[in-house]
């Protein structure tokens, strides 16, 4: 009964997360909102969240060993991906606050570097044959010293390191914002960058910090004392980590203006699909964001981008 309750709760959270991430991803793509930096960051966050939701719905204890190894590898890949992309987001916010713009190479370098590192860290336990049933789910088994080294070297070290770096960088960001507000020297351009980019995107690291507390605590407890798991901590962990995608999708929707929330209406979605098909038959639409000669994303992308970025207008003036 206990296992059944845990499995039902985990799968429910995973279904909510999968539905939320798919809907938000579809809306961003069909309305071409990926031209904006903040919308692209959302897409980067949604990809590993959707991966975690999908593998969570797969039966944990698989009858076929190869299936369990595949699920374990993708689970490791998805969870590390969520953490690393969140770190990229925090770095991007700090760069925006300091320079009011973000280099294109910095965004692409961090994103592709993060996913590349996640693939490498997830491939090593596969090579050492360390994936398999780990308690009630499929992950790095932990049956011997090699498996325990794989858990630390390919997961715990990088997860805890990324969280600590995020905390330091996020504290630096808060300090800069506090000093700027206290000195009252904010320019119009800086105010716009903070209102359009920094303040809305700051909500995502904050929520993920909260969600990471029970997950990280349970993993540390399992690492320190694997033979004496704490049930309530294990239950909270198993239900919280699939929710990351749902929370990101909910934050995306809640920070939209009332006008932009209409993008989720079925009639508006159908019209966007028709427009997309029409454009594909014609000349097509440019997928590349306007950049200045130095290769930077400008904080002011032009009138069309200013209209689209009104996604985040509501609720942010009070934070300036």
């Amino acid at each position: 009964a206990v296992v059944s309750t845990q499995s039902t709760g985990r799968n429910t959270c995973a279904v909510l997360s999968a539905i939320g991430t798919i809907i938000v991803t579809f809306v961003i793509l069909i309305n071409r909102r990926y031209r904006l930096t903040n919308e692209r960051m959302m897409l980067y966050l949604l990809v590993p969240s959707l991966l975690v939701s999908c593998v969570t719905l797969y039966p944990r204890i698989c009858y076929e060993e190869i299936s369990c190894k595949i699920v374990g590898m993708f689970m490791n890949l998805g969870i590390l991906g969520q953490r690393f992309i969140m770190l990229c987001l925090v770095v991007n916010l700090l760069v925006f606050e300091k320079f009011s713009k973000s280099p294109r190479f910095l965004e692409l370098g961090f994103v592709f570097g993060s996913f590349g590192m996640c693939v490498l860290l997830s491939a090593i336990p596969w090579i050492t044959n360390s994936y398999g049933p780990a308690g009630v789910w499929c992950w790095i088994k932990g049956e011997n010293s090699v498996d325990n080294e794989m858990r630390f070297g390919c997961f715990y070290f990088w997860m805890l390191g990324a969280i600590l770096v995020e905390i330091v960088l996020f504290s630096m960001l808060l300090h800069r914002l506090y000093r700027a507000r206290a000195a009252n020297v904010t320019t119009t351009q800086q105010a716009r960058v903070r209102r359009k980019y920094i303040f809305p995107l700051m909500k995502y690291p904050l929520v993920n910090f909260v969600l990471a507390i029970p997950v990280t605590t349970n993993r540390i407890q399992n690492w320190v004392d694997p033979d004496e798991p704490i049930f309530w901590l294990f239950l909270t962990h198993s239900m919280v980590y699939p929710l990351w995608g749902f929370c990101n999708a909910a934050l995306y929707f809640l920070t939209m203006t009332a006008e932009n929330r209409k993008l989720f209406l079925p009639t508006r979605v159908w019209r966007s699909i028709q427009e997309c098909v029409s454009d594909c038959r014609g000349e097509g639409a440019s997928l590349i964001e306007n950049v200045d000669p130095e290769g930077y994303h400008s904080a002011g992308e032009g009138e069309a981008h200013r209209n689209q970025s009104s996604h985040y207008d509501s609720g942010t003036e009070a934070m300036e």
Side-chain angles (χ1 to χ4, degrees):
V2 172
V3 175
S4 177
T5 301
Q6 181 264 349
S7 178
T8 301
R10 183 192 65 235
N11 289 340
T12 301
C13 295
V15 169
L16 290 174
S17 184
I19 293 174
T21 53
I22 290 172
I23 291 175
V24 172
T25 300
F26 181 76
V27 168
I28 292 175
L29 293 177
I30 202 66
N31 291 284
R32 305 186 187 92
R33 299 180 68 86
Y34 45 74
R35 301 174 185 178
L36 300 170
T37 302
N38 47 14
E39 305 286 339
R40 285 196 304 277
M41 295 305 298
M42 268 304 304
L43 283 177
Y44 301 148
L45 282 175
L46 292 172
V47 170
S49 298
L50 181 59
L51 178 60
V52 170
S53 300
C54 292
V55 296
T56 299
L57 293 172
Y58 195 84
R60 293 294 178 162
I61 299 301
C62 309
Y63 292 103
E64 298 180 8
E65 180 181 359
I66 188 63
S67 299
C68 195
K69 291 178 63 176
I70 293 173
V71 170
M73 183 182 68
F74 279 112
M75 180 64 70
N76 200 69
L77 176 63
I79 295 176
L80 285 175
Q82 288 179 142
R83 193 78 269 154
F84 282 17
I85 293 300
M86 189 59 64
L87 176 59
C88 293
L89 187 148
V90 175
V91 171
N92 199 65
L93 289 177
L94 195 58
V95 172
F96 258 120
E97 167 59 22
K98 186 172 183 179
F99 301 106
S100 295
K101 58 179 69 174
S102 176
R104 171 61 65 89
F105 72 83
L106 181 64
E107 176 188 332
L108 296 179
F110 269 113
V111 171
F112 285 105
S114 296
F115 280 117
M117 180 62 71
C118 292
V119 170
L120 176 63
L121 293 175
S122 299
I124 294 175
W126 179 280
I127 296 173
T128 60
N129 198 32
S130 296
Y131 288 120
V136 297
W137 47 44
C138 295
W139 189 48
I140 301 174
K141 292 177 289 189
E143 294 177 347
N144 50 52
S145 59
V146 175
D147 292 345
N148 291 328
E149 290 173 0
M150 288 297 102
R151 283 190 174 189
F152 178 78
C154 296
F155 188 82
Y156 289 124
F157 174 80
W158 297 95
M159 279 288 290
L160 294 177
I163 291 174
L164 291 176
V165 174
E166 282 178 44
I167 292 174
V168 171
L169 295 179
F170 199 77
S171 300
M172 293 172 59
L173 175 63
L174 293 177
H175 180 65
R176 288 185 63 90
L177 293 173
Y178 174 79
R179 288 183 57 188
R181 181 166 184 172
N184 196 25
V185 293
T186 303
T187 65
T188 302
Q189 176 73 354
Q190 288 174 330
R192 181 180 178 277
V193 169
R194 289 168 185 164
R195 178 169 57 87
K196 298 286 187 179
Y197 295 94
I198 297 176
F199 289 143
L201 290 177
M202 282 176 63
K203 299 180 178 68
Y204 296 94
L206 288 173
V207 170
N208 278 266
F209 283 147
V210 174
L211 294 177
I213 292 174
V215 175
T216 305
T217 304
N218 184 61
R219 290 192 180 278
I220 293 176
Q221 192 277 330
N222 289 337
W223 181 36
V224 175
D225 192 6
D227 296 326
E228 295 293 335
I230 301 175
F231 171 73
W232 68 266
L233 196 57
F234 170 78
L235 181 63
T236 305
H237 171 187
S238 63
M239 295 181 65
V240 164
Y241 80 85
L243 274 178
W244 286 23
F246 174 78
C247 291
N248 289 334
L251 277 176
Y252 180 87
F253 181 78
L254 292 175
T255 54
M256 298 182 83
T257 62
E259 180 64 27
N260 279 310
R261 286 177 185 171
K262 295 179 181 179
L263 293 172
F264 289 88
L265 294 175
T267 54
R268 181 62 182 269
V269 170
W270 176 243
R271 188 171 65 185
S272 297
I273 294 175
Q274 290 177 318
E275 291 174 355
C276 184
V277 172
S278 178
D279 287 341
C280 290
R281 289 175 177 175
E283 297 180 357
S286 173
L287 304 182
I288 303 176
E289 181 179 5
N290 292 332
V291 294
D292 63 18
E294 288 78 25
Y296 286 86
H297 301 308
S298 174
E301 290 97 335
E303 189 61 34
H305 285 220
R306 284 196 292 271
N307 292 336
Q308 286 191 11
S309 61
S310 61
H311 169 118
Y312 292 113
D313 281 352
S314 65
T316 54
E317 278 77 5
M319 303 179 66
E320 289 191 67

